[in-house]
Amino acid sequence: MNTLTRARAIFAKLGVRSYSGRVGIIGVPFDKGQRKVGVARGPETIRAAGLIQELKVLGLDVRDYGDVSYGEENIHDVNNMSHLSDVASCTSRLSEHVRQIIQDGRQVVTIGGDHSVVIGTIDGHIKERQDVAVIWVDAHADLNTNKTSDSGNVHGMPAALLISELSDYWPYLPGMDWQKPMLPLRNLAYIGLRSVDRYERLVIEKHGITAFGIEDIEHYGIHNVFHMALNKIDPHNEKSIHVSFDIDSLDPLEAPSTGTPVRGGLYLREAVHLMEQIHRTRRLSAIDLVEVNPQIGDEKDVRITIEAAIHIIQAALGHMRRGLMVPKGVTDMPLQTFR
């Protein structure tokens, strides 16, 4: 019996599993939602650092579905909305992939790519599970529209595109007919905000969106913030959970290789605890890990950022920092399995 087989058997015996124990990974090497070169290399770099092996050590049944590919359509751009054709085509294909992975009975792990890709992941999740609670972990609210954005970068707009109550804020978007805003505001909670535009703040306050900034985390602690957020968006503990995790929610000291860093962010310890709590709900169906850019910073910066990304995904899928006791009768289990 090889190491991974023994690990799976022991973890299964101890009950250390996600709600299904089956995971599907989909890479989205997409960078058209913003202007910095390199974020499209996020999936290959995270895979190369050993993500799949690390998840298999948890006893998970992991299937890599490869990367999303798409054919660009001839779509006219909308004013102040860059690369709409690419965004529409990529996210449409991604939505289909997410639906397939869920239909296969697996939790979805999506590796970006920039944050615009979650238009597809959340769309696919909602189409499969209908009532979905979204925990958006980010330094930014991503609530701009083409009329309010200073940059025209779509990675600052995905939440506004997904929220059903904001559908009237948009003009007709060619190529996006497949996507209807289906995420109710009551099902969305932000955690980690600290760089929110004036218009985004207005939307949050006007519509009463559940939003916890870094100041709230400092006051209440990440444990309490998570449970307050979940109680607001899933009071009966019954919804399928989707985590959209932007690596820039972490402080740049923890994750320097990202395109829009903001000082004063989450510690990795806080992010891992958050993911552990989400895992313990046994209702996590999908997680996005986006905005890792391995072409920003030096080799050390990239290594720190990639390691943080893998720690976050591991915690969401069942890794335990406390370690595990080896069951009686098992004498040849390598210690590194329990690191």
Side-chain angles (χ1 to χ4, degrees):
M1 184 182 292
N2 63 33
T3 298
L4 288 178
T5 303
R6 290 197 300 270
R8 287 189 183 122
I10 290 172
F11 275 70
K13 185 180 293 186
L14 291 169
V16 182
R17 283 292 183 99
S18 64
Y19 78 102
S20 69
R22 290 159 53 83
V23 175
I25 295 175
I26 183 74
V28 195
F30 187 78
D31 61 2
K32 302 300 184 184
Q34 48 81 68
R35 291 182 169 84
K36 293 187 178 179
V37 174
V39 72
R41 293 189 54 227
E44 67 175 275
T45 308
I46 293 172
R47 282 191 182 101
L51 171 66
I52 294 172
Q53 182 78 0
E54 293 289 350
L55 296 183
K56 286 182 176 179
V57 168
L58 295 181
L60 299 168
D61 174 354
V62 183
R63 176 180 171 185
D64 191 345
Y65 286 73
D67 288 341
V68 170
S69 60
Y70 66 95
E72 185 179 353
E73 299 178 23
N74 186 20
I75 298 172
H76 295 295
D77 278 350
V78 171
N79 182 45
N80 199 35
M81 200 170 183
S82 301
H83 301 288
L84 177 59
S85 176
D86 292 278
V87 172
S89 301
C90 179
T91 54
S92 174
R93 291 286 296 133
L94 179 55
S95 176
E96 295 170 1
H97 280 286
V98 168
R99 297 188 70 177
Q100 183 60 60
I101 296 170
I102 293 174
Q103 289 169 12
D104 289 345
R106 295 178 181 271
Q107 291 172 285
V108 186
V109 176
T110 302
I111 312 169
D114 69 60
H115 213 157
S116 67
V117 305
V118 305
I119 299 165
T121 62
I122 294 176
D123 178 86
H125 191 171
I126 293 175
K127 284 175 177 172
E128 281 302 308
R129 294 287 171 83
Q130 284 76 56
D131 203 13
V132 174
V134 175
I135 299 171
W136 199 290
V137 189
D138 203 332
H140 311 89
D142 296 344
L143 273 171
N144 275 298
T145 70
N146 66 312
K147 296 176 184 176
T148 65
S149 172
D150 290 332
S151 66
N153 293 336
V154 181
H155 79 158
M157 306 179 190
L161 282 162
L162 290 160
I163 294 170
S164 52
E165 290 89 342
L166 301 184
S167 60
D168 291 340
Y169 287 47
W170 291 95
Y172 173 70
L173 300 178
M176 295 293 290
D177 296 300
W178 60 272
Q179 187 263 336
K180 305 297 180 187
M182 296 185 293
L183 176 64
L185 285 169
R186 67 179 180 275
N187 284 16
L188 171 66
Y190 287 105
I191 293 178
L193 296 179
R194 60 191 183 278
S195 180
V196 181
D197 295 343
R198 181 177 299 179
Y199 166 80
E200 294 175 311
R201 174 55 59 189
L202 178 65
V203 171
I204 289 170
E205 293 178 356
K206 176 182 177 181
H207 293 280
I209 300 174
T210 301
F212 292 93
I214 290 296
E215 186 176 2
D216 300 307
I217 293 168
E218 290 171 345
H219 182 75
Y220 296 107
I222 191 65
H223 184 90
N224 291 327
V225 161
F226 165 67
H227 287 284
M228 288 189 290
L230 192 63
N231 187 57
K232 290 282 287 184
I233 65 176
D234 186 17
H236 303 295
N237 300 318
E238 60 189 9
K239 296 174 183 175
S240 183
I241 295 176
H242 189 116
V243 175
S244 189
F245 196 104
D246 189 323
I247 201 73
D248 73 24
S249 62
L250 299 180
D251 190 90
L253 294 176
E254 303 273 19
S257 295
T258 189
T260 52
V262 183
R263 291 297 299 273
L266 292 170
Y267 296 117
L268 179 59
R269 182 182 69 248
E270 293 172 316
V272 166
H273 181 79
L274 172 63
M275 294 299 107
E276 290 171 340
Q277 292 301 302
I278 292 169
H279 169 75
R280 289 180 178 131
T281 68
R282 293 297 190 267
R283 298 194 308 283
L284 177 65
S285 294
I287 178 172
D288 315 311
L289 196 292
V290 299
E291 296 288 357
V292 171
N293 190 330
Q295 288 183 223
I296 291 177
D298 58 24
E299 183 177 343
K300 180 181 178 182
D301 291 336
V302 174
R303 176 178 55 78
I304 290 171
T305 307
I306 297 297
E307 288 178 353
I310 291 177
H311 280 310
I312 288 159
I313 295 170
Q314 284 180 299
L317 297 177
H319 181 265
M320 297 179 67
R321 288 179 290 172
R322 292 183 178 183
L324 299 171
M325 293 181 62
V326 178
K328 291 181 180 178
V330 178
T331 59
D332 60 344
M333 193 67 205
L335 290 177
Q336 62 263 32
T337 302
F338 300 96
R339 64 188 172 196

